[in-house]
Amino acid sequence: MTVGIVGLGLIGGSAAKAYAHAGHRVLGFDRDESMLSFAELAGAVSDALTDKNIGECQLILIAIYPEAAAEYLREMATSIGRDTLVIDLCGTKELICGTGFKLAEKYGFTYAGGHPMAGTHRSGFKASRPDLFRGAPMVIVPPVYDDLTLLDRIKSALEPMGFSSISVTTAEEHDRIIAFTSQLAHVVSSAYVKSPTAKKHLGFSAGSYRDMTRVALLNPEMWAQLFLENSKNLSFEIDCIIENLTKYRDAISSGNREELINLLEEGSRIKKELDGE
């Protein structure tokens, strides 16, 4: 299989390595030509992906920011083969899926939205590895929810990445849930380390601190775009956590032990329910 990878950062680079290790021919594109050269030297990419050879790809994975992904699809749509499966790997889905579905219908290729639930706080090709997706969940946004033939085709095409499961949803539902499960966590972590007390954490911090601060190390440009594209859903989640934090603060400030215990018990109970305990 010939696989085109658009964007050779952490996600795209890891995908390229996974397919190359599985023996597939990988064509790569990155706006940073030195990144492409590095990927070729590393054996992850065999050649550059261009408008001249993109039609040779049976699978194209787009691993760049959503706005850039939509623009890339618009530019290359006429050159993509009718038998090609195109899957984006962007962190939000409404914008790119809206573009992808329309272009696929117009030009005849097959498109589905995708979001691998994997990553690290590091970015760039140097941080990529072929097993990044091994055992991770994958979320798919297909044009038709119950097209089992297409879902089987997607599962087969993604097999070299090693996902443990594939979930199917809509673009709207994806963005609503991801605002809570991913984006809010990055906002909270970024805000948490801004306490003046953070500078004195050495010798006083352990697992809780590491867990809370891990995703404060992020790519600001990428996450800012993802936050703004999903502003309505993320703003809702931020309002929810502010409302709940206010309850804790008020109980602590007023010395209301009973209310504080109730709040903590409620949080513990909800966590157990979420974990199926």
Side-chain angles (χ1 to χ4, degrees):
M1 178 167 63
T2 298
V3 182
I5 309 288
V6 181
L8 295 170
L10 173 66
I11 299 300
S14 295
K17 289 179 178 179
Y19 282 94
H21 280 220
H24 298 285
R25 177 190 180 210
V26 179
L27 305 177
F29 170 83
D30 197 283
R31 62 182 180 181
D32 183 349
E33 293 186 2
S34 64
M35 189 73 73
L36 176 60
S37 297
F38 190 68
E40 290 177 332
L41 289 172
V45 171
S46 60
D47 207 346
L49 176 67
T50 69
D51 59 346
K52 300 295 189 298
N53 61 18
I54 195 170
E56 301 172 16
C57 297
Q58 287 79 50
L59 173 67
I60 298 172
L61 300 176
I62 304 178
I64 52 181
Y65 300 170
E67 288 183 6
E71 182 59 30
Y72 181 87
L73 267 181
R74 283 191 286 266
E75 291 178 357
M76 304 298 287
T78 57
S79 301
I80 297 174
R82 287 181 174 269
D83 295 326
T84 302
L85 172 62
V86 180
I87 303 174
D88 82 86
L89 305 178
C90 300
T92 57
K93 297 268 72 80
E94 288 194 64
L95 184 151
I96 181 59
C97 285
T99 300
F101 292 147
K102 291 177 182 177
L103 291 173
E105 184 177 4
K106 181 177 181 179
Y107 294 102
F109 59 86
T110 301
Y111 166 82
H115 188 182
M117 297 291 100
T120 72
H121 60 273
R122 294 182 174 87
S123 61
F125 184 82
K126 291 183 179 180
S128 66
R129 61 178 199 267
D131 63 347
L132 179 68
F133 311 105
R134 185 70 53 186
M138 175 65 164
V139 179
I140 291 294
V141 178
V144 180
Y145 192 82
D146 58 352
D147 187 341
L148 298 182
T149 301
L150 173 58
L151 292 178
D152 285 341
R153 181 184 177 189
I154 291 172
K155 289 178 182 179
S156 178
L158 296 178
E159 187 174 353
M161 298 174 76
F163 293 110
S164 62
S165 64
I166 292 182
S167 301
V168 179
T169 188
T170 65
E172 294 78 13
E173 182 72 355
H174 169 277
D175 287 0
R176 186 181 70 80
I177 295 175
I178 215 70
F180 170 73
T181 61
S182 176
Q183 295 181 344
L184 179 64
H186 285 78
V187 170
V188 171
S189 185
S190 181
Y192 175 75
V193 297
K194 294 178 181 178
S195 167
T197 313
K199 296 178 180 179
K200 301 178 182 180
H201 83 88
L202 289 176
F204 294 84
S205 57
S208 297
Y209 173 84
R210 287 194 298 271
D211 290 345
M212 280 291 293
T213 61
R214 182 179 65 84
V215 293
L217 290 168
L218 46 69
N219 180 330
E221 183 179 348
M222 180 188 76
W223 283 101
Q225 183 175 140
L226 293 175
F227 292 164
L228 293 174
E229 286 177 0
N230 203 22
S231 61
K232 181 179 179 180
N233 292 316
L234 182 54
S235 294
F236 170 80
E237 295 298 342
I238 292 173
D239 286 343
C240 284
I241 198 169
I242 289 173
E243 180 181 350
N244 284 308
L245 284 173
T246 299
K247 293 178 182 178
Y248 285 86
R249 183 203 61 195
D250 291 349
I252 293 168
S253 297
S254 64
N256 190 334
R257 179 184 176 89
E258 182 177 354
E259 175 63 11
L260 182 58
I261 290 174
N262 288 337
L263 289 169
L264 294 170
E265 286 181 341
E266 180 185 35
S268 181
R269 174 181 56 78
I270 291 173
K271 171 59 176 172
K272 289 179 181 178
E273 291 174 355
L274 293 173
D275 292 347
E277 296 182 8

